[in-house]
Amino acid sequence: EGYVLDTSYSRDLLTAKWTSDALQHAFLQPLQVRIYDRKGVLVDVMPNCNVPPGFSNLKWEDTHVFDSLPTRRDRMIDTTLTLANEGHYLRRLTDGSVSTIVPAKEHTILVFWTYMMGRQSRRLVELAKDAKARHRDDYDVYFVVADNLYH
């Protein structure tokens, strides 16, 4: 199922109180993977700025973000950020209704992508789809069009 960010999301991100500037910066990136546990608590965020660069492509596959859950990285997290809070900003692509994502598996993954990032977005989405096919019983993956971060 696909979602689009509500236009109020970036405004609220900029005015929120954050545990670190780095976390706020991560949440404003055009490509990111956010991982929530069964309770809907954020356990990891992997923004594009933390992905190893490659010749003309980010190397998302080198992060193993979809294959190592729970993640083995010492990541910046804020346990006050929950999937329920995020859901208020997610609108279904099909009808514009508010998200009602309820964690049903050990982890729930939100993959944020943008039209602006073109090929990099396509590569991230394909990697996520391939990983989901390999780990279909381990976690759910939802795709979020994040272009409204920049409006």
PDB file of all heavy atoms in Angstrom, residues 127-146:
ATOM      1  N   LEU A 127      14.977  -2.259  -4.109  1.00  0.00           N
ATOM      2  CA  LEU A 127      15.692  -2.986  -3.063  1.00  0.00           C
ATOM      3  C   LEU A 127      14.730  -3.389  -1.939  1.00  0.00           C
ATOM      4  O   LEU A 127      14.772  -4.522  -1.443  1.00  0.00           O
ATOM      5  CB  LEU A 127      16.836  -2.136  -2.506  1.00  0.00           C
ATOM      6  CG  LEU A 127      17.720  -2.805  -1.467  1.00  0.00           C
ATOM      7  CD1 LEU A 127      18.540  -3.943  -2.096  1.00  0.00           C
ATOM      8  CD2 LEU A 127      18.641  -1.777  -0.834  1.00  0.00           C
ATOM      9  N   ALA A 128      13.858  -2.474  -1.555  1.00  0.00           N
ATOM     10  CA  ALA A 128      12.879  -2.768  -0.502  1.00  0.00           C
ATOM     11  C   ALA A 128      11.911  -3.863  -0.942  1.00  0.00           C
ATOM     12  O   ALA A 128      11.576  -4.769  -0.163  1.00  0.00           O
ATOM     13  CB  ALA A 128      12.111  -1.502  -0.127  1.00  0.00           C
ATOM     14  N   LYS A 129      11.452  -3.810  -2.183  1.00  0.00           N
ATOM     15  CA  LYS A 129      10.546  -4.841  -2.693  1.00  0.00           C
ATOM     16  C   LYS A 129      11.223  -6.207  -2.746  1.00  0.00           C
ATOM     17  O   LYS A 129      10.631  -7.220  -2.371  1.00  0.00           O
ATOM     18  CB  LYS A 129      10.022  -4.465  -4.084  1.00  0.00           C
ATOM     19  CG  LYS A 129       9.009  -3.352  -4.066  1.00  0.00           C
ATOM     20  CD  LYS A 129       8.556  -3.025  -5.473  1.00  0.00           C
ATOM     21  CE  LYS A 129       7.523  -1.921  -5.493  1.00  0.00           C
ATOM     22  NZ  LYS A 129       7.110  -1.575  -6.872  1.00  0.00           N
ATOM     23  N   ASP A 130      12.464  -6.238  -3.198  1.00  0.00           N
ATOM     24  CA  ASP A 130      13.211  -7.500  -3.244  1.00  0.00           C
ATOM     25  C   ASP A 130      13.404  -8.067  -1.845  1.00  0.00           C
ATOM     26  O   ASP A 130      13.245  -9.273  -1.622  1.00  0.00           O
ATOM     27  CB  ASP A 130      14.576  -7.306  -3.910  1.00  0.00           C
ATOM     28  CG  ASP A 130      14.477  -7.019  -5.394  1.00  0.00           C
ATOM     29  OD1 ASP A 130      13.388  -7.217  -5.982  1.00  0.00           O
ATOM     30  OD2 ASP A 130      15.494  -6.582  -5.977  1.00  0.00           O
ATOM     31  N   ALA A 131      13.754  -7.218  -0.894  1.00  0.00           N
ATOM     32  CA  ALA A 131      13.953  -7.672   0.487  1.00  0.00           C
ATOM     33  C   ALA A 131      12.647  -8.181   1.074  1.00  0.00           C
ATOM     34  O   ALA A 131      12.623  -9.203   1.767  1.00  0.00           O
ATOM     35  CB  ALA A 131      14.514  -6.530   1.333  1.00  0.00           C
ATOM     36  N   LYS A 132      11.556  -7.496   0.787  1.00  0.00           N
ATOM     37  CA  LYS A 132      10.251  -7.918   1.298  1.00  0.00           C
ATOM     38  C   LYS A 132       9.891  -9.295   0.765  1.00  0.00           C
ATOM     39  O   LYS A 132       9.354 -10.143   1.488  1.00  0.00           O
ATOM     40  CB  LYS A 132       9.181  -6.889   0.917  1.00  0.00           C
ATOM     41  CG  LYS A 132       7.776  -7.277   1.302  1.00  0.00           C
ATOM     42  CD  LYS A 132       7.635  -7.513   2.785  1.00  0.00           C
ATOM     43  CE  LYS A 132       6.213  -7.898   3.127  1.00  0.00           C
ATOM     44  NZ  LYS A 132       6.128  -8.684   4.343  1.00  0.00           N
ATOM     45  N   ALA A 133      10.208  -9.564  -0.487  1.00  0.00           N
ATOM     46  CA  ALA A 133       9.934 -10.882  -1.066  1.00  0.00           C
ATOM     47  C   ALA A 133      10.730 -11.974  -0.336  1.00  0.00           C
ATOM     48  O   ALA A 133      10.230 -13.082  -0.141  1.00  0.00           O
ATOM     49  CB  ALA A 133      10.270 -10.885  -2.557  1.00  0.00           C
ATOM     50  N   ARG A 134      11.941 -11.654   0.084  1.00  0.00           N
ATOM     51  CA  ARG A 134      12.771 -12.629   0.806  1.00  0.00           C
ATOM     52  C   ARG A 134      12.358 -12.783   2.265  1.00  0.00           C
ATOM     53  O   ARG A 134      12.570 -13.819   2.869  1.00  0.00           O
ATOM     54  CB  ARG A 134      14.246 -12.200   0.773  1.00  0.00           C
ATOM     55  CG  ARG A 134      14.905 -12.322  -0.570  1.00  0.00           C
ATOM     56  CD  ARG A 134      16.421 -12.140  -0.478  1.00  0.00           C
ATOM     57  NE  ARG A 134      16.858 -11.000   0.318  1.00  0.00           N
ATOM     58  CZ  ARG A 134      16.999  -9.757  -0.147  1.00  0.00           C
ATOM     59  NH1 ARG A 134      16.702  -9.478  -1.402  1.00  0.00           N
ATOM     60  NH2 ARG A 134      17.426  -8.785   0.643  1.00  0.00           N
ATOM     61  N   HIS A 135      11.791 -11.734   2.848  1.00  0.00           N
ATOM     62  CA  HIS A 135      11.478 -11.715   4.287  1.00  0.00           C
ATOM     63  C   HIS A 135       9.987 -11.473   4.542  1.00  0.00           C
ATOM     64  O   HIS A 135       9.640 -10.812   5.512  1.00  0.00           O
ATOM     65  CB  HIS A 135      12.283 -10.598   4.977  1.00  0.00           C
ATOM     66  CG  HIS A 135      13.751 -10.738   4.845  1.00  0.00           C
ATOM     67  ND1 HIS A 135      14.492 -11.571   5.638  1.00  0.00           N
ATOM     68  CD2 HIS A 135      14.629 -10.150   3.999  1.00  0.00           C
ATOM     69  CE1 HIS A 135      15.765 -11.489   5.300  1.00  0.00           C
ATOM     70  NE2 HIS A 135      15.876 -10.639   4.295  1.00  0.00           N
ATOM     71  N   ARG A 136       9.140 -12.001   3.706  1.00  0.00           N
ATOM     72  CA  ARG A 136       7.709 -11.662   3.760  1.00  0.00           C
ATOM     73  C   ARG A 136       7.057 -11.908   5.105  1.00  0.00           C
ATOM     74  O   ARG A 136       6.090 -11.256   5.464  1.00  0.00           O
ATOM     75  CB  ARG A 136       6.952 -12.340   2.633  1.00  0.00           C
ATOM     76  CG  ARG A 136       6.693 -13.813   2.847  1.00  0.00           C
ATOM     77  CD  ARG A 136       5.879 -14.419   1.709  1.00  0.00           C
ATOM     78  NE  ARG A 136       6.682 -15.411   1.020  1.00  0.00           N
ATOM     79  CZ  ARG A 136       7.286 -15.213  -0.137  1.00  0.00           C
ATOM     80  NH1 ARG A 136       7.163 -14.084  -0.757  1.00  0.00           N
ATOM     81  NH2 ARG A 136       7.996 -16.154  -0.684  1.00  0.00           N
ATOM     82  N   ASP A 137       7.576 -12.835   5.896  1.00  0.00           N
ATOM     83  CA  ASP A 137       6.962 -13.128   7.191  1.00  0.00           C
ATOM     84  C   ASP A 137       7.559 -12.300   8.328  1.00  0.00           C
ATOM     85  O   ASP A 137       7.039 -12.308   9.436  1.00  0.00           O
ATOM     86  CB  ASP A 137       7.113 -14.615   7.522  1.00  0.00           C
ATOM     87  CG  ASP A 137       6.374 -15.489   6.520  1.00  0.00           C
ATOM     88  OD1 ASP A 137       5.327 -15.038   5.995  1.00  0.00           O
ATOM     89  OD2 ASP A 137       6.844 -16.610   6.256  1.00  0.00           O
ATOM     90  N   ASP A 138       8.656 -11.608   8.058  1.00  0.00           N
ATOM     91  CA  ASP A 138       9.374 -10.908   9.121  1.00  0.00           C
ATOM     92  C   ASP A 138       8.889  -9.477   9.366  1.00  0.00           C
ATOM     93  O   ASP A 138       8.929  -8.997  10.484  1.00  0.00           O
ATOM     94  CB  ASP A 138      10.867 -10.858   8.806  1.00  0.00           C
ATOM     95  CG  ASP A 138      11.476 -12.248   8.692  1.00  0.00           C
ATOM     96  OD1 ASP A 138      10.930 -13.184   9.306  1.00  0.00           O
ATOM     97  OD2 ASP A 138      12.481 -12.388   7.979  1.00  0.00           O
ATOM     98  N   TYR A 139       8.485  -8.790   8.297  1.00  0.00           N
ATOM     99  CA  TYR A 139       8.086  -7.395   8.455  1.00  0.00           C
ATOM    100  C   TYR A 139       7.189  -6.945   7.313  1.00  0.00           C
ATOM    101  O   TYR A 139       7.124  -7.578   6.274  1.00  0.00           O
ATOM    102  CB  TYR A 139       9.299  -6.471   8.564  1.00  0.00           C
ATOM    103  CG  TYR A 139      10.350  -6.628   7.481  1.00  0.00           C
ATOM    104  CD1 TYR A 139      10.161  -6.109   6.207  1.00  0.00           C
ATOM    105  CD2 TYR A 139      11.561  -7.259   7.758  1.00  0.00           C
ATOM    106  CE1 TYR A 139      11.138  -6.227   5.229  1.00  0.00           C
ATOM    107  CE2 TYR A 139      12.536  -7.382   6.783  1.00  0.00           C
ATOM    108  CZ  TYR A 139      12.321  -6.864   5.526  1.00  0.00           C
ATOM    109  OH  TYR A 139      13.287  -6.982   4.564  1.00  0.00           O
ATOM    110  N   ASP A 140       6.473  -5.853   7.560  1.00  0.00           N
ATOM    111  CA  ASP A 140       5.662  -5.207   6.538  1.00  0.00           C
ATOM    112  C   ASP A 140       6.394  -3.969   6.046  1.00  0.00           C
ATOM    113  O   ASP A 140       7.072  -3.294   6.821  1.00  0.00           O
ATOM    114  CB  ASP A 140       4.297  -4.794   7.108  1.00  0.00           C
ATOM    115  CG  ASP A 140       3.391  -5.983   7.349  1.00  0.00           C
ATOM    116  OD1 ASP A 140       3.357  -6.890   6.495  1.00  0.00           O
ATOM    117  OD2 ASP A 140       2.718  -6.017   8.398  1.00  0.00           O
ATOM    118  N   VAL A 141       6.248  -3.675   4.757  1.00  0.00           N
ATOM    119  CA  VAL A 141       6.883  -2.506   4.153  1.00  0.00           C
ATOM    120  C   VAL A 141       5.804  -1.636   3.519  1.00  0.00           C
ATOM    121  O   VAL A 141       4.936  -2.136   2.803  1.00  0.00           O
ATOM    122  CB  VAL A 141       7.906  -2.921   3.067  1.00  0.00           C
ATOM    123  CG1 VAL A 141       8.506  -1.690   2.405  1.00  0.00           C
ATOM    124  CG2 VAL A 141       8.998  -3.799   3.659  1.00  0.00           C
ATOM    125  N   TYR A 142       5.872  -0.333   3.800  1.00  0.00           N
ATOM    126  CA  TYR A 142       4.961   0.635   3.208  1.00  0.00           C
ATOM    127  C   TYR A 142       5.805   1.718   2.542  1.00  0.00           C
ATOM    128  O   TYR A 142       6.848   2.110   3.060  1.00  0.00           O
ATOM    129  CB  TYR A 142       4.062   1.268   4.278  1.00  0.00           C
ATOM    130  CG  TYR A 142       3.203   0.252   4.982  1.00  0.00           C
ATOM    131  CD1 TYR A 142       3.636  -0.356   6.156  1.00  0.00           C
ATOM    132  CD2 TYR A 142       1.978  -0.116   4.460  1.00  0.00           C
ATOM    133  CE1 TYR A 142       2.857  -1.300   6.803  1.00  0.00           C
ATOM    134  CE2 TYR A 142       1.186  -1.064   5.107  1.00  0.00           C
ATOM    135  CZ  TYR A 142       1.636  -1.645   6.269  1.00  0.00           C
ATOM    136  OH  TYR A 142       0.868  -2.590   6.905  1.00  0.00           O
ATOM    137  N   PHE A 143       5.327   2.200   1.412  1.00  0.00           N
ATOM    138  CA  PHE A 143       6.056   3.197   0.637  1.00  0.00           C
ATOM    139  C   PHE A 143       5.370   4.553   0.775  1.00  0.00           C
ATOM    140  O   PHE A 143       4.154   4.656   0.647  1.00  0.00           O
ATOM    141  CB  PHE A 143       6.137   2.766  -0.825  1.00  0.00           C
ATOM    142  CG  PHE A 143       6.903   1.483  -0.985  1.00  0.00           C
ATOM    143  CD1 PHE A 143       6.250   0.268  -1.018  1.00  0.00           C
ATOM    144  CD2 PHE A 143       8.284   1.492  -1.053  1.00  0.00           C
ATOM    145  CE1 PHE A 143       6.949  -0.926  -1.141  1.00  0.00           C
ATOM    146  CE2 PHE A 143       9.001   0.314  -1.168  1.00  0.00           C
ATOM    147  CZ  PHE A 143       8.324  -0.898  -1.209  1.00  0.00           C
ATOM    148  N   VAL A 144       6.179   5.591   1.021  1.00  0.00           N
ATOM    149  CA  VAL A 144       5.660   6.932   1.281  1.00  0.00           C
ATOM    150  C   VAL A 144       6.295   7.914   0.306  1.00  0.00           C
ATOM    151  O   VAL A 144       7.520   8.074   0.279  1.00  0.00           O
ATOM    152  CB  VAL A 144       5.971   7.379   2.729  1.00  0.00           C
ATOM    153  CG1 VAL A 144       5.417   8.779   2.983  1.00  0.00           C
ATOM    154  CG2 VAL A 144       5.430   6.376   3.739  1.00  0.00           C
ATOM    155  N   VAL A 145       5.469   8.573  -0.498  1.00  0.00           N
ATOM    156  CA  VAL A 145       5.944   9.625  -1.395  1.00  0.00           C
ATOM    157  C   VAL A 145       6.198  10.854  -0.525  1.00  0.00           C
ATOM    158  O   VAL A 145       5.278  11.386   0.101  1.00  0.00           O
ATOM    159  CB  VAL A 145       4.910   9.944  -2.495  1.00  0.00           C
ATOM    160  CG1 VAL A 145       5.440  11.047  -3.415  1.00  0.00           C
ATOM    161  CG2 VAL A 145       4.548   8.705  -3.276  1.00  0.00           C
ATOM    162  N   ALA A 146       7.446  11.305  -0.472  1.00  0.00           N
ATOM    163  CA  ALA A 146       7.849  12.339   0.467  1.00  0.00           C
ATOM    164  C   ALA A 146       8.101  13.702  -0.169  1.00  0.00           C
ATOM    165  O   ALA A 146       8.715  14.567   0.444  1.00  0.00           O
ATOM    166  CB  ALA A 146       9.095  11.870   1.227  1.00  0.00           C
TER     167      ALA A 146
END
